[in-house]
Amino acid sequence: MKLNERGLLVVLSGPSGVGKGTVRKALFEMEGHDLVYSISMTTRPPREGEIDGDDYYFVSKEEFERRIKADAFLEWAQFVGHYYGTPKDKVDEQLKQGKEVVLEIEVQGALQVREKMSDAVFVFIAPPNKETLYRRLLRRGTESNETIQKRMDKAEREFPLAHKYDYIVVNDEVRNAADRILAIVRAEHARTERSIHKYNEIMEVDES
Ligand code: 5GP
């Protein structure tokens, strides 16, 4: 009996450096789920080892702006000098197919999705403390000191927004954080409001 016809949109968000990407990858390596990842588009140049169409769709500023005008994004944001956005068509198509679609995006973008898709699940990934976040940004070693400072300043502005999310998952240990997210996804599926109409239909319960 499949109760949820439309898929579930899972938004993983939180400050840069918190380990969203690592947690998301660990989540996808786990067994027993049917999640698909929505690949974002960005104007940031690829980091070493990043693959176009796998990590991101890397496009020019002009191309990105053309797509903003064409209303091709579910959400988009400027983050430390570059554009990032979620292509809308693909997400819609996958949700229609009943898939569980995961977005891994920064906070402004997540809040835009919150406005548009109230039935999505919003998970704020938090660092165990501020110092850990700073150390993680430094250790990544892919950005200049100035960029790291900008990312840290931005994180300070994002910490107070966690209350707008449905769940807060502390990334103390990647595997634990991924486990908790999977538990959240499972629990969300069982939520009555997601499945009651379909349930009533199957069980021939009169809703009136
Ligand atoms: P990075 O440059 O480190 O790959 O990403 C910078 C920030 O942009 C991260 O917080 C990342 O989660 C976020 N990001 C990645 N893709 C998207 C997107 O499609 N939309 C938004 N709003 N943020 C994104």
Side-chain angles (χ1 to χ4, degrees), residues 54-85:
D54 200 344
D55 296 285
Y56 281 107
Y57 296 109
F58 296 100
V59 297
S60 65
K61 188 166 172 269
E62 292 68 33
E63 173 66 15
F64 200 103
E65 287 173 347
R66 191 186 64 71
R67 286 173 191 252
I68 294 175
K69 283 203 191 103
D71 194 25
F73 294 110
L74 171 61
E75 60 73 37
W76 63 271
Q78 271 187 311
F79 184 87
V80 192
H82 296 290
Y83 285 119
Y84 295 82

Side-chain angles (χ1 to χ4, degrees), residues 58-178:
F58 296 100
V59 297
S60 65
K61 188 166 172 269
E62 292 68 33
E63 173 66 15
F64 200 103
E65 287 173 347
R66 191 186 64 71
R67 286 173 191 252
I68 294 175
K69 283 203 191 103
D71 194 25
F73 294 110
L74 171 61
E75 60 73 37
W76 63 271
Q78 271 187 311
F79 184 87
V80 192
H82 296 290
Y83 285 119
Y84 295 82
T86 303
K88 188 158 66 177
D89 288 2
K90 191 86 192 214
V91 171
D92 280 348
E93 187 188 307
Q94 288 172 328
L95 288 176
K96 272 190 201 127
Q97 289 168 7
K99 293 191 175 143
E100 295 163 337
V101 183
V102 175
L103 308 187
E104 180 221 308
I105 60 178
E106 54 69 66
V107 174
Q108 290 171 65
L111 298 181
Q112 289 173 45
V113 181
R114 174 117 243 178
E115 299 279 299
K116 291 184 189 165
M117 304 187 73
S118 54
D119 61 344
V121 185
F122 294 83
V123 181
F124 187 87
I125 305 183
N129 49 55
K130 287 185 188 180
E131 215 186 313
T132 312
L133 183 69
Y134 194 52
R135 267 191 278 115
R136 281 184 190 155
L137 281 171
L138 281 177
R139 205 171 46 211
R140 190 150 74 181
T142 50
E143 267 88 19
S144 64
N145 284 346
E146 194 197 338
T147 307
I148 291 170
Q149 194 51 52
K150 278 192 193 154
R151 286 186 180 228
M152 201 60 209
D153 292 346
K154 197 158 173 53
E156 289 286 350
R157 295 194 297 276
E158 291 170 345
F159 290 138
L161 298 172
H163 73 97
K164 293 183 181 272
Y165 289 70
D166 301 310
Y167 297 92
I168 297 177
V169 167
V170 175
N171 183 19
D172 44 5
E173 210 269 305
V174 173
R175 173 75 204 206
N176 285 342

Side-chain angles (χ1 to χ4, degrees), residues 20-72:
K20 294 191 291 290
T22 318
V23 171
R24 187 251 306 164
K25 282 180 191 145
L27 179 66
F28 276 83
E29 278 162 15
M30 291 169 83
E31 308 266 302
H33 65 77
D34 218 2
L35 302 167
V36 290
Y37 176 54
S38 157
I39 301 166
S40 294
M41 195 165 277
T42 185
T43 58
R44 165 173 77 59
R47 295 189 184 121
E48 210 180 307
E50 283 185 331
I51 299 166
D52 185 40
D54 200 344
D55 296 285
Y56 281 107
Y57 296 109
F58 296 100
V59 297
S60 65
K61 188 166 172 269
E62 292 68 33
E63 173 66 15
F64 200 103
E65 287 173 347
R66 191 186 64 71
R67 286 173 191 252
I68 294 175
K69 283 203 191 103
D71 194 25

